[in-house]
Amino acid sequence: KKVKKNKYALALIIGISDYENTKARALYADNDAMVFKDYATEKLGISENRIKILLNNGADERDILLSVQEWLRRSTKPNESDIHVFFAGHGLASQDGKNMYLLPHDGSPRLLDDTAILRDRLFADLKATNPKSVTVFLDTCYSGVTRNEEMLIAGRPIVLKAKEQPIPYGFTLFSAATNEQISRPLEEAKHGMFSYFLMKGMEGDADANNDNKITARELHAYVEQNVVQQSSGLQTPELQGDKDRVLVQFN
């Protein structure tokens, strides 16, 4: 199905499977990001030259922050650009559950404040570019347990419970799992389970009312149903923000 081009839209896509400071891998996260890049052009209608992809050791803290603060800021057309951010990799909550972090390639799970990217900070930087909208897809979790059920930090309590946090106005946030769940892989597809059904839904499977549009609400409903079923209820994707935003518009 052909989609409408979204002239001023941008996508920052990050996938980190291998980490410098933890042996625990995020299975297939780099693959999720590479395939999502194709979906960004073919389903979200974003021009190739307005997509930036950071993989593994090309996704250090500095690379990610510069991409947001310089590349996105420079490329965003104020009040007209729809920004899309896709992140597949490790996330972690602070010990008290108040802060959520995304772990860059060079991040240390033991030094979150100093080496990881605070989710609130990332959202504030995105908001500062003054876009029309921001849609964030996070195939990560904050429980301290990886996709293949390894511990990110040996000896920490098994599951950290991150507290629910508000998101800025104009944002739509797709999360792979609730705050205390693990984000799991779909082995046979070589993808994260959430990423796999996210992209499958964007092909058109999520267009529940066949109106040639896929809203955030429709996409989430499709992803949630399939992920809950595949994980036997152990993983429940979540949606916050503007649920009526049209993400995919077929011609």
Side-chain angles (χ1 to χ4, degrees):
K1 279 182 159 182
K2 287 269 177 256
V3 296
K4 273 192 179 149
K5 287 273 170 264
N6 190 340
K7 188 175 172 188
Y8 298 118
L10 295 152
L12 174 61
I13 300 169
I14 302 160
I16 311 166
S17 286
D18 299 306
Y19 280 83
E20 209 172 89
N21 299 306
T22 174
K23 288 191 174 72
R25 299 185 73 234
L27 277 184
Y28 315 129
D30 48 1
N31 192 36
D32 291 337
M34 286 188 285
V35 178
F36 191 83
K37 181 176 182 286
D38 295 336
Y39 279 77
T41 49
E42 290 167 25
K43 301 301 168 202
L44 298 173
I46 306 170
S47 309
E48 288 262 0
N49 63 351
R50 294 178 70 77
I51 298 173
K52 191 174 181 81
I53 184 164
L54 306 175
L55 298 172
N56 295 319
N57 61 4
D60 280 354
E61 182 184 31
R62 188 192 60 205
D63 300 315
I64 295 171
L65 292 177
L66 281 174
S67 296
V68 175
Q69 290 172 16
E70 291 193 357
W71 178 74
L72 270 180
R73 193 162 288 182
R74 220 176 34 240
S75 310
T76 299
K77 193 167 169 61
N79 301 313
E80 294 200 42
S81 289
D82 294 309
I83 292 177
H84 302 79
V85 177
F86 176 91
F87 177 90
H90 291 325
L92 205 56
S94 57
Q95 197 82 48
D96 61 7
K98 282 185 184 156
N99 293 320
M100 295 187 208
Y101 295 89
L102 302 177
L103 205 61
H105 172 259
D106 56 346
S108 167
R110 294 180 181 279
L111 293 168
L112 290 177
D113 261 351
D114 302 305
T115 67
I117 293 170
L118 184 64
R119 199 182 84 171
D120 281 351
R121 155 105 192 263
L122 173 67
F123 288 179
D125 285 348
L126 290 168
K127 194 170 172 57
T129 63
N130 199 16
K132 179 179 168 192
S133 74
V134 178
T135 306
V136 183
F137 305 96
L138 296 179
D139 197 341
T140 187
C141 62
Y142 307 98
S143 61
V145 185
T146 70
R147 288 179 175 195
N148 51 342
E149 305 201 20
E150 289 180 83
M151 295 301 296
L152 273 181
I153 302 178
R156 253 179 106 153
I158 272 290
V159 167
L160 293 166
K161 175 131 173 67
K163 296 179 172 47
E164 195 59 53
Q165 292 182 350
I167 60 173
Y169 178 77
F171 275 54
T172 300
L173 171 62
F174 286 81
S175 303
T178 66
N179 290 340
E180 71 278 12
Q181 292 176 334
I182 300 170
S183 169
R184 296 165 188 279
L186 189 62
E187 290 286 355
E188 59 271 32
K190 302 280 186 275
H191 275 297
M193 197 180 283
F194 168 80
S195 290
Y196 177 78
F197 288 111
L198 183 74
M199 294 187 271
K200 195 105 185 81
M202 286 163 67
E203 287 176 11
D205 292 14
D207 183 8
N209 60 356
N210 293 317
D211 65 351
N212 279 332
K213 288 184 197 133
I214 298 175
T215 62
R217 189 190 306 277
E218 286 179 311
L219 185 54
H220 170 68
Y222 174 83
V223 173
E224 182 184 37
Q225 182 189 353
N226 282 283
V227 169
V228 168
Q229 187 179 343
Q230 281 288 333
S231 68
S232 305
L234 294 174
Q235 181 177 338
T236 309
E238 295 196 323
L239 175 65
Q240 279 175 275
D242 181 358
K243 296 178 172 61
D244 296 315
R245 172 164 309 147
V246 174
L247 297 175
V248 181
Q249 173 79 65
F250 297 109
N251 275 336

